[in-house]
Amino acid sequence: MSLTHFTPEGDAHMVDVTDKSVTTRTAIARGQVVMAQHVIDLIKSGQAKKGDVLSVAQLAGIMGAKRTADLIPLCHPLPLSKVSVQLELNDRGVAIEATVKTTGQTGVEMEALTAVNIAALTVYDMVKAVQKDMQITDIRLVFKDGGKSGRFAAEE
Amino acid sequence: MSLTHFTPEGDAHMVDVTDKSVTTRTAIARGQVVMAQHVIDLIKSGQAKKGDVLSVAQLAGIMGAKRTADLIPLCHPLPLSKVSVQLELNDRGVAIEATVKTTGQTGVEMEALTAVNIAALTVYDMVKAVQKDMQITDIRLVFKDGGKSGRFAAEE
Amino acid sequence: MSLTHFTPEGDAHMVDVTDKSVTTRTAIARGQVVMAQHVIDLIKSGQAKKGDVLSVAQLAGIMGAKRTADLIPLCHPLPLSKVSVQLELNDRGVAIEATVKTTGQTGVEMEALTAVNIAALTVYDMVKAVQKDMQITDIRLVFKDGGKSGRFAAEE
Amino acid sequence: MSLTHFTPEGDAHMVDVTDKSVTTRTAIARGQVVMAQHVIDLIKSGQAKKGDVLSVAQLAGIMGAKRTADLIPLCHPLPLSKVSVQLELNDRGVAIEATVKTTGQTGVEMEALTAVNIAALTVYDMVKAVQKDMQITDIRLVFKDGGKSGRFAAEE
Amino acid sequence: MSLTHFTPEGDAHMVDVTDKSVTTRTAIARGQVVMAQHVIDLIKSGQAKKGDVLSVAQLAGIMGAKRTADLIPLCHPLPLSKVSVQLELNDRGVAIEATVKTTGQTGVEMEALTAVNIAALTVYDMVKAVQKDMQITDIRLVFKDGGKSGRFAAEE
Amino acid sequence: MSLTHFTPEGDAHMVDVTDKSVTTRTAIARGQVVMAQHVIDLIKSGQAKKGDVLSVAQLAGIMGAKRTADLIPLCHPLPLSKVSVQLELNDRGVAIEATVKTTGQTGVEMEALTAVNIAALTVYDMVKAVQKDMQITDIRLVFKDGGKSGRFAAEE
């Protein structure tokens, strides 16, 4: 078995998808920012106000999805037909889920994962002044559909 | 206590650092991509060849650090005087560490964390065809120095 | 009535256009930079030379149209099949018109409006040393065609 | 009198500021999105919910300020030490004000104006489905301080 | 004969390709970085190690191809279905070849040429400390297929 | 002798310049687009009109200089205090020269070279419809000053 992002000669390349069929593709990714209870409380208290940690991070995640091919060297640039990012407070901190769709020749797992990562970094940025040992963790693909490799649903 | 990224009225803003002193600042962040043994073996086998998962991800991480202020809405744009990203295989997958330095008015924690995130996403992208349930995890700040809030070293 | 850029739960998202049909779409936007007569005269006198305020702004507008999805958080990234920007001196200053076309699932109003805005900002930048109280004004959509909502032509 | 963005030979160039002194510089710009009363009401009704037109546009404006040198051809890239964007509903629609600071060799008028423009475009984008003949208008500099040309305050 | 990137009135514009047919298009470009023998030897000696001038430049070239429409004012943004960049040492220095494919309405010559340019600049950057009078040279299109103008193969 | 962009362990990194002194630095680069006489004539004939191949390329070169750190993986991001790009027709085609200045901790050779490359690619793009076998050639540093390594002037 070998890695498709390298040629037999060992060169990194952007895989040729010219002959792959154009299908509707969906990917859902999740992740978690782990923080102390007092930080969770601080974020919760801000939700009553106009500004809100979670909605800033939501927007950053959506915009991040659109930058995926700029950031990940061997990712194909492709139009996105839907991006949504949900953040909610749970007892460990902030849970993030991103859903991305396209109609194209490659999947959008990286776009969904990038959205989660950028949203998580943005949460971190906004509360880092009050806790220095937070963690961004459990970032993974939970669902994928469309394309030749078919449907994938993580066991959670 | 309140969050500095919001005004008292609840508006998100990029904090005014005009009057903060210009000092040398360093940040080190770490993270982990968790993968199956057969994927670790596959990456290891590629290291003998010209192309290499770890060196592609290393470069993506360095370039990612430079995009931090573009990606994280309330981050200050600032020149960076050093970025290095190390990746190595361990028994859980790929361990990542990024070190960033600047001489400026704000810290570079977010730049170091962004470098780790983008490097982790790039590792993920290159091996996702052979394992669909990898995780990006344990992303955290391990060291920070410079600026008013002083030195921080995580207990590891 | 409600805003499509928010879910019923109030989350901002990039609307799902996966099932919208792919059609040819056109949008035309206009705007004006209002300036003093002596600035108009200065721009006019430069047109005889190699460099020219209006042609610099024209190019900036065309390039700006291509950055729309990077700048407007909930805009879909989409390929553009035509962008043109016209600038001409009138008795109030500089009049700008941008025309954008695509064959895709969403309209290009925002691309045309962004082209006008960036062209206007560029005109402003180049002459701001000689007048500090210019205004960018009257930016609006004047024509739109294609897609489900059909043709729109502003009354002017 | 002549335009500094062109050489005597008529070539556009990024002006040499190497020998200008490094000072603290501030700029404040304002603008307005003009819309119908029913759209104003719709935005107002959304403010009670989590998602909010004005806070999405606020963030887009802040991020837009950081992209100024990418968008305006002859603008100098420079670090920003503060960016804030305020939006509020008035009887004509949405009023926008942006404040930008730097410690550098050139002013930040263009950054403040770009923030206002991008925030205005984002407001427009989010409500364009309910009104097609909105206008972005009255974008102007209202205050500027620092640097050789000194303080400017618009008469309002 | 006239240039398609200008209207009859002399305005630069992004040519309207709305009515061009969507076909598979390929372009191959080549270039050379000319350097002294001791620099060639230095690069060669590094190929045994983990890090490698040629693989860093390869990745930069691939990423550069994706930025073409951002860099070249009148280029159409378009999705790319394949990008590969090869670099090899020859007796004059480093030879570069880039291959790009798309399925779209315009060709990808500029993407292939941009990949070669950015890869060449990256090679230059990494060895400039040891030789100050290198040259980037012989950048040209060697093959092009697809679209109305048909196949082109350079005589080499 | 070894390459500074790699650590002793062979990892690519952005070199630590934290302790380098801040000085004024200048770089001048040149290059040439080689084309047929009929293309030279076509460009020359366009110079009488509003739009002009050389002024579009000039602007693209200036904007390209500002993108250098985004494009070249191991380049330091740094503010630029001057960018100018000159293009002129000679008997081989178009000659390009770029001058860049900064006050910073690293030189601006790569910025000057990137400006020349992007300007050359833009010239190429605009006339490629009329000649398919043009070449971009002779791109080199001609002058450099400031910083520890001192002054360099190419023998021409």
Side-chain angles (χ1 to χ4, degrees), chain E residues 2-131:
Chain E
S2 66
L3 295 172
T4 54
H5 283 83
F6 295 98
T7 63
E9 292 73 36
D11 288 301
H13 68 142
M14 193 196 295
V15 178
D16 191 347
V17 298
T18 312
D19 297 327
K20 291 179 78 172
S21 56
V22 174
T23 62
T24 298
R25 291 151 191 274
T26 304
I28 302 176
R30 287 198 192 126
Q32 172 78 32
V33 187
V34 179
M35 52 185 61
Q37 187 60 45
H38 72 96
V39 187
I40 297 174
D41 294 343
L42 194 56
I43 294 175
K44 202 175 289 177
S45 71
Q47 291 192 284
K49 295 199 207 149
K50 200 163 36 152
D52 177 17
V53 169
L54 304 192
S55 58
V56 172
Q58 182 176 56
L59 218 56
I62 292 170
M63 296 180 84
K66 296 194 266 186
R67 309 294 289 279
T68 305
D70 257 11
L71 297 168
I72 313 298
L74 305 177
C75 251
H76 294 81
L78 75 176
L80 305 179
S81 58
K82 176 201 163 104
V83 181
S84 72
V85 178
Q86 311 294 329
L87 295 103
E88 60 179 41
L89 289 164
N90 59 15
D91 56 5
R92 298 172 65 209
V94 177
I96 304 169
E97 179 179 294
T99 305
V100 179
K101 280 192 187 179
T102 194
T103 301
Q105 293 173 304
T106 57
V108 283
E109 300 98 298
M110 293 317 300
E111 281 75 7
L113 288 159
T114 301
V116 169
N117 270 271
I118 302 301
L121 285 168
T122 302
V123 168
Y124 189 107
D125 178 45
M126 299 180 85
V127 297
K128 70 179 189 293
V130 295
Q131 185 186 357

Side-chain angles (χ1 to χ4, degrees), chain E residues 1-12 38-39 42-43 49-53 56 59-60 63-64 67 70-75 109-110 113-114 117-118 120-122 124-130 132-141 144 149-150 152 154, chain F residues 1-12 38-39 42-43 49-53 56 59-60 63-64 67 70-75 109-110 113-114 117-118 120-122 124-130 132-141 144 149-150 152 154:
Chain E
M1 188 146 208
S2 66
L3 295 172
T4 54
H5 283 83
F6 295 98
T7 63
E9 292 73 36
D11 288 301
H38 72 96
V39 187
L42 194 56
I43 294 175
K49 295 199 207 149
K50 200 163 36 152
D52 177 17
V53 169
V56 172
L59 218 56
M63 296 180 84
R67 309 294 289 279
D70 257 11
L71 297 168
I72 313 298
L74 305 177
C75 251
E109 300 98 298
M110 293 317 300
L113 288 159
T114 301
N117 270 271
I118 302 301
L121 285 168
T122 302
Y124 189 107
D125 178 45
M126 299 180 85
V127 297
K128 70 179 189 293
V130 295
K132 290 205 166 28
D133 58 353
M134 286 178 293
Q135 294 221 0
I136 297 172
T137 194
D138 297 343
I139 296 175
R140 76 265 182 214
L141 185 69
K144 167 175 149 53
S149 70
F152 163 81
Chain F
M1 189 148 207
S2 65
L3 296 172
T4 54
H5 282 82
F6 294 98
T7 64
E9 293 73 36
D11 287 302
H38 71 96
V39 187
L42 195 55
I43 294 175
K49 296 199 207 148
K50 199 163 38 150
D52 175 20
V53 168
V56 173
L59 218 56
M63 296 180 84
R67 309 294 290 278
D70 257 11
L71 296 169
I72 312 298
L74 306 176
C75 252
E109 299 99 298
M110 295 316 303
L113 288 160
T114 301
N117 270 270
I118 301 301
L121 284 168
T122 302
Y124 189 107
D125 179 45
M126 299 181 85
V127 296
K128 69 180 190 295
V130 295
K132 290 203 166 29
D133 57 353
M134 285 178 294
Q135 295 221 1
I136 297 172
T137 195
D138 298 342
I139 296 175
R140 77 265 182 212
L141 185 69
K144 167 175 148 50
S149 70
F152 162 80

Side-chain angles (χ1 to χ4, degrees), chain A:
Chain A
M1 189 149 208
S2 66
L3 295 173
T4 53
H5 283 83
F6 294 98
T7 64
E9 293 73 36
D11 288 302
H13 67 144
M14 193 196 294
V15 179
D16 190 347
V17 298
T18 312
D19 298 327
K20 291 178 78 172
S21 56
V22 173
T23 62
T24 299
R25 292 149 192 274
T26 306
I28 304 176
R30 288 200 190 124
Q32 173 78 32
V33 187
V34 179
M35 52 185 61
Q37 188 60 44
H38 71 96
V39 187
I40 296 174
D41 294 343
L42 195 56
I43 294 175
K44 202 175 290 177
S45 71
Q47 291 192 283
K49 295 199 208 148
K50 200 164 36 153
D52 176 16
V53 169
L54 303 192
S55 58
V56 172
Q58 183 176 57
L59 218 57
I62 291 170
M63 296 180 84
K66 295 193 266 187
R67 310 293 290 277
T68 304
D70 257 12
L71 297 169
I72 313 298
L74 306 177
C75 252
H76 294 81
L78 74 177
L80 305 179
S81 57
K82 175 201 162 103
V83 182
S84 71
V85 179
Q86 312 293 327
L87 295 101
E88 60 179 40
L89 289 165
N90 59 14
D91 55 5
R92 299 171 66 207
V94 177
I96 305 169
E97 180 179 294
T99 304
V100 180
K101 281 192 187 178
T102 193
T103 300
Q105 293 174 305
T106 57
V108 282
E109 299 98 299
M110 294 317 300
E111 281 75 7
L113 288 160
T114 300
V116 170
N117 271 271
I118 301 302
L121 285 167
T122 302
V123 168
Y124 189 107
D125 179 45
M126 299 180 86
V127 296
K128 69 179 190 294
V130 295
Q131 185 185 357
K132 290 203 167 29
D133 57 354
M134 286 178 293
Q135 294 220 1
I136 297 172
T137 194
D138 298 342
I139 296 175
R140 77 264 181 212
L141 185 68
V142 295
F143 178 78
K144 167 175 149 53
D145 199 16
K148 206 177 63 179
S149 69
R151 175 178 290 242
F152 163 80
E155 297 167 27
E156 298 248 324

Side-chain angles (χ1 to χ4, degrees), chain B residues 40-83:
Chain B
I40 296 173
D41 294 344
L42 195 56
I43 294 176
K44 202 176 291 178
S45 72
Q47 291 192 283
K49 294 199 208 149
K50 199 163 38 151
D52 176 17
V53 169
L54 303 192
S55 58
V56 173
Q58 182 176 57
L59 219 56
I62 292 169
M63 296 179 85
K66 294 193 266 185
R67 310 293 290 279
T68 304
D70 257 13
L71 296 169
I72 313 298
L74 306 177
C75 252
H76 295 81
L78 74 177
L80 305 179
S81 58
K82 174 201 162 103
V83 182

Side-chain angles (χ1 to χ4, degrees), chain C residues 10 50-51 67 117 136-137 139, chain D residues 10-11 51 67 117 136-137 139:
Chain C
K50 200 163 38 151
R67 309 294 290 277
N117 271 270
I136 297 172
T137 194
I139 297 176
Chain D
D11 288 302
R67 310 294 290 277
N117 271 271
I136 297 172
T137 195
I139 297 176

